[in-house]
């Protein structure tokens, strides 16, 4: 299979679905008042009329999403190390992380905002509460299930626990860790928008609120499509990072 045919096979289905949805949207918009369903061209014109505003919103939300995912990943991997180090550690970490994740962000956010304010660092903290859970759970599974053949090989040459951990457990756990990171990337975008809707200080979430408040439907649709594109791009970046790191440090 050539690179071109592989690219077409990968991109063909989503492009085809997008074209069908766009056609359906155009037909439906023609029979619906614009205040309820604007035409695709009206949405595109809204973005093109003021690209700087959308660009600034993406930049603000990008900082929050990246910071929240990075903090959540660091905390999640750290908690996974604690969990696999001992049975009591796992018994403490897993229920705690699940408990934090079950609590809705909209329920936790008012207390966090009351304590720390509404700045970008606080929004990053809120996003990290959503991203820590998938990274922790996936990392625990990966670190706790290294390939038995590799463990036997290192044991036969008298490798220490630390050498085994560094040479086998961590590299073998990378696919699981990044499975959690990719899920966390999607949650980071959701968390970012929710945090911005709650604080109403810049970003894509604040733009959604402003457009909805004044019933600017075309602008609201524009923000929703930008958020969707931002989420897909963010997830794709995590997937590219996964392939790069696993290719260099993973195990076969």
């Amino acid at each position: 299979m050539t690179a071109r045919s592989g690219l077409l096979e990968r991109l063909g289905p989503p492009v085809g679905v997008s074209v069908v949805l766009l056609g359906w949207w155009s037909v439906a918009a023609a029979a619906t008042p614009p205040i309820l369903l604007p035409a695709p061209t009206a949405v595109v014109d809204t973005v093109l009329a003021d690209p700087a505003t959308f660009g600034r919103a993406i930049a603000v939300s990008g900082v929050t999403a990246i910071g929240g995912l990075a903090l959540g990943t660091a905390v999640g991997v750290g908690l996974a190390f604690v969990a696999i180090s001992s049975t009591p550690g796992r018994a403490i970490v897993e229920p705690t992380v699940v408990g934090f994740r079950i609590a809705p962000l909209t329920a936790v956010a008012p207390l966090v905002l009351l304590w720390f304010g509404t700045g970008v660092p606080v929004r990053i903290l809120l996003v990290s509460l959503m991203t820590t859970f998938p990274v922790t759970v996936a990392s625990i599974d990966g670190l706790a299930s290294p390939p038995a053949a590799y463990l036997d090989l290192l044991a036969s040459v008298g490798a220490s626990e630390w050498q085994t951990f560094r040479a086998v457990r961590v590299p073998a756990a990378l696919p699981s860790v990044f499975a959690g990171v990719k899920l966390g990337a999607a949650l980071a975008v959701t968390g970012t928008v929710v945090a911005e809707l709650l604080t109403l200080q810049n970003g894509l979430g604040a733009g959604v609120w402003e457009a909805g408040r004044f019933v600017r439907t075309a602008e609201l649709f524009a923000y929703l499509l930008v958020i969707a594109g931002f989420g897909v791009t963010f997830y794709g970046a995590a997937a590219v990072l996964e392939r790069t790191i696993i290719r260099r440090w993973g195990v076969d």
Side-chain angles (χ1 to χ4, degrees):
M1 179 183 296
T2 65
R4 183 177 179 180
S5 61
L7 182 62
L8 289 175
E9 183 178 344
R10 200 160 50 243
L11 297 182
V15 170
V17 171
S18 299
V19 170
V20 171
L21 291 177
L22 187 61
W24 174 86
W25 181 5
S26 300
V27 172
T32 307
I35 195 172
L36 298 179
L37 183 64
T41 53
V43 175
V44 173
D45 289 342
T46 299
V47 177
L48 296 179
D50 192 8
T53 296
F54 287 92
R56 285 192 296 269
I58 292 172
V60 172
S61 296
V63 170
T64 302
I66 292 171
L69 180 60
L71 179 58
T73 299
V75 173
V77 172
L79 290 175
F81 285 153
V82 173
I84 67 163
S85 64
S86 64
T87 301
R90 188 162 186 171
I92 294 172
V93 168
E94 287 189 328
T96 302
V97 173
V98 171
F100 271 103
R101 182 61 190 93
I102 288 175
L105 186 61
T106 50
V108 176
L111 187 59
V112 175
L113 297 175
L114 177 64
W115 285 346
F116 303 110
T118 59
V120 172
V122 178
R123 281 177 267 169
I124 289 175
L125 176 61
L126 289 173
V127 173
S128 72
L129 294 178
M130 296 189 69
T131 58
T132 297
F133 172 75
V135 176
T136 303
V137 173
S139 299
I140 289 174
D141 288 343
L143 290 169
S145 306
Y150 286 93
L151 295 180
D152 294 340
L153 177 61
L154 288 179
S156 68
V157 297
S160 66
E161 185 65 29
W162 166 245
Q163 289 172 324
T164 301
F165 186 81
R166 184 184 61 184
V168 174
R169 285 188 182 274
V170 172
L174 288 177
S176 296
V177 172
F178 273 100
V181 171
K182 288 188 292 185
L183 178 56
L187 292 174
V189 175
T190 302
T192 295
V193 174
V194 171
E196 291 168 349
L197 281 168
L198 292 171
T199 59
L200 299 179
Q201 291 188 358
N202 304 317
L204 295 170
V208 168
W209 169 263
E210 192 73 10
R213 178 186 178 192
F214 293 102
V215 200
R216 299 195 291 258
T217 313
E219 184 178 339
L220 179 59
F221 267 77
Y223 272 108
L224 293 176
L225 290 178
V226 169
I227 290 170
F230 175 56
V232 171
T233 302
F234 201 50
Y235 180 92
V240 170
L241 181 63
E242 174 191 24
R243 287 196 296 270
T244 302
I245 290 181
I246 290 179
R247 187 181 300 117
R248 181 168 182 179
W249 287 295
V251 297
D252 297 329

